[in-house]
């Protein structure tokens, strides 16, 4: 435990930053190869620069990584959290970052718009149920590890697992065939091996995806490009 400038107890969360970044890349690869068949899942996993946004029927999470894949910030809304019903004003989400460095609080203000009108009709403010940020080399939160997990951290469960455990889940939940699983794995392994180098889908791999849903291939391409993966010309 430690304190911040407001003397509130902070918990240092035991999060493997490298594994989480790699897990986000794997989830993105698994998602992208399925988009030609399931374009309605477009918003389940998106990147904007170093911001990874994931959404499901359970909730939404936004993570911010540096160019060096260092984890900097996290914001969460678990739809099943009892904290959803406690949100009354736009100021409520700020309590999860109060006393954090100024750049973190500014980041929270900017990303909070992604969480507006999440689960409560008529509520015109961001609904956040937990959060964390990096300070002095540690990932810290006002929540304990168990509370953080209960109120949103569980959304990252498969993203914090090694490939050998997470990939079978993505294959099963998406009914992923062997050809797409092979593409997802190759792209994943190349992407994490050289985070600063763009990876490219080959023409033969693109042909596999086109065969499944050519009318959705442009959406698929845009999603791949959002996390540094291009299409061979």
């Amino acid at each position: 435990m430690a304190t911040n400038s407001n003397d509130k107890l902070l918990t240092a969360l035991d999060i493997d930053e490298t594994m989480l970044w790699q897990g986000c890349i794997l989830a993105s690869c698994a998602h992208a190869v399925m988009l030609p068949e399931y374009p309605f899942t477009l918003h389940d996993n998106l990147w904007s620069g170093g911001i990874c946004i994931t959404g499901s029927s359970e909730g939404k999470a936004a993570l911010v990584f540096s160019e060096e894949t260092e984890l900097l910030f996290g914001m969460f809304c678990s739809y099943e959290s009892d904290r959803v019903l406690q949100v009354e004003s736009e100021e409520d989400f700020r309590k999860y970052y109060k006393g954090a460095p100024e750049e973190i609080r500014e980041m929270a203000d900017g990303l909070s718009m992604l969480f507006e009108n999440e689960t409560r009709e008529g509520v015109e403010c961001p609904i956040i149920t937990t959060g964390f940020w990096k300070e002095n080399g540690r990932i810290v939160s006002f929540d304990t590890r168990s509370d953080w997990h209960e109120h949103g951290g569980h959304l990252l469960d498969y993203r914090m697992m090694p490939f050998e455990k997470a990939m079978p889940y993505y294959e099963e939940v998406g009914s992923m065939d062997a050809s797409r699983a092979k593409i997802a794995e190759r792209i994943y392994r190349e992407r994490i091996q050289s985070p600063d180098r763009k990876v490219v889908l080959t023409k033969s791999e693109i042909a596999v995806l086109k065969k499944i849903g050519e009318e959705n291939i442009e959406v698929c391409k845009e999603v791949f490009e959002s996390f540094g993966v291009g299409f061979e010309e």
Side-chain angles (χ1 to χ4, degrees):
M1 290 285 189
T3 59
N4 72 348
S5 59
N6 288 308
D7 295 327
K8 290 187 177 181
L9 288 176
L10 291 173
T11 297
L13 300 178
D14 182 19
I15 294 176
D16 187 322
E17 298 179 50
T18 299
M19 182 171 288
L20 179 54
W21 180 78
Q22 292 179 353
C24 288
I25 294 297
L26 176 58
S28 299
C29 291
H31 174 231
V33 297
M34 298 305 295
L35 275 174
E37 184 174 1
Y38 304 122
F40 55 86
T41 67
L42 173 62
H43 298 288
D44 287 1
N45 204 88
L46 294 173
W47 287 81
S48 178
I51 304 171
C52 179
I53 305 161
T54 177
S56 70
S57 60
E58 297 181 65
K60 178 183 287 186
L63 301 172
V64 179
F65 295 93
S66 72
E67 292 183 0
E68 293 74 33
T69 72
E70 176 187 8
L71 181 61
L72 302 176
F73 178 91
M75 181 173 278
F76 306 83
C77 176
S78 171
Y79 299 154
E80 297 300 317
S81 171
D82 56 11
R83 293 178 178 178
V84 168
L85 298 177
Q86 298 170 13
V87 175
E88 296 180 351
S89 74
E90 188 166 333
E91 294 297 316
D92 286 347
F93 81 88
R94 294 191 174 98
K95 66 187 176 184
Y96 297 111
Y97 307 98
K98 193 172 183 179
E102 183 179 0
E103 61 269 24
I104 294 296
R105 287 181 278 117
E106 290 177 352
M107 197 179 296
D109 284 346
L111 290 179
S112 66
M113 68 180 65
L114 298 173
F115 293 80
E116 292 179 351
N117 302 321
E118 280 300 303
T119 59
R120 289 175 60 191
E121 186 176 350
V123 176
E124 301 295 332
C125 59
I127 297 180
I128 313 299
T129 53
T130 191
F132 64 58
W133 71 92
K134 189 162 194 176
E135 186 173 350
N136 297 325
R138 302 178 306 163
I139 304 299
V140 296
S141 173
F142 285 124
D143 278 325
T144 63
R145 170 75 188 208
S146 60
D147 283 345
W148 168 73
H149 187 267
E150 176 185 351
H151 296 290
H154 64 279
L155 299 171
L156 304 181
D157 280 352
Y158 286 98
R159 288 165 175 77
M160 294 193 292
M161 291 182 184
F163 175 88
E164 293 73 19
K165 291 185 177 181
M167 190 60 186
Y169 165 78
Y170 295 127
E171 291 180 77
E172 180 179 357
V173 76
S175 300
M176 189 185 302
D177 56 74
S179 60
R180 282 180 285 182
K182 184 178 180 180
I183 295 171
E185 179 173 355
R186 184 190 73 78
I187 294 299
Y188 161 74
R189 294 197 182 281
E190 287 198 21
R191 186 72 181 82
I192 66 170
Q193 184 176 2
S194 303
D196 58 346
R197 183 173 65 85
K198 192 168 185 176
V199 181
V200 176
L201 266 77
T202 65
K203 291 181 179 179
S204 61
E205 290 171 330
I206 297 168
V208 169
L209 301 182
K210 279 186 175 181
K211 186 176 180 180
I212 294 165
E214 186 168 6
E215 68 277 12
N216 300 315
I217 203 67
E218 285 304 313
V219 171
C220 177
K221 181 179 180 181
E222 289 176 12
V223 170
F224 266 119
E225 288 179 341
S226 75
F227 62 98
V229 180
F231 276 30
E232 186 179 24
E233 299 296 335

